[in-house]
Amino acid sequence: MSGLILAPLVSIVLAATPSPEFDPNTVTPGPEGFVAIALVAVGAVLLAMDMARRVRRNTYRAEIQERLAAEVAAQKAAEADGADRD
């Protein structure tokens, strides 16, 4: 049923589409397009570098916090052991 409705609509749309006045094989974005894509690429690289730096910084902070927590736990254990001996 829907195929009967779509077939005339498709033929109307295709008939109303004008033929291009240019050769689609020779159309290029030009220097403006190149510059725009180059800027997007540079921005993406800078964002990736910034993200890697932030992830690395957070990883180092987590490692240092773990070391400090282990040192505090060892210190408390040593103090508790020393208090038990007295």
Side-chain angles (χ1 to χ4, degrees), residues 18-47:
S19 62
E21 297 176 5
F22 56 87
D23 183 11
N25 295 326
T26 61
V27 176
T28 63
E32 298 86 8
F34 175 78
V35 169
I37 296 300
L39 289 175
V40 169
V42 167
V45 167
L46 291 175
L47 282 173

Side-chain angles (χ1 to χ4, degrees), residues 49-67:
M49 290 171 51
D50 184 55
M51 182 191 67
R53 182 176 54 91
R54 290 174 188 264
V55 167
R56 192 178 316 116
R57 183 185 307 153
N58 285 335
T59 303
Y60 291 152
R61 284 183 181 167
E63 288 176 5
I64 289 172
Q65 286 176 351
E66 288 175 6
R67 287 181 189 168

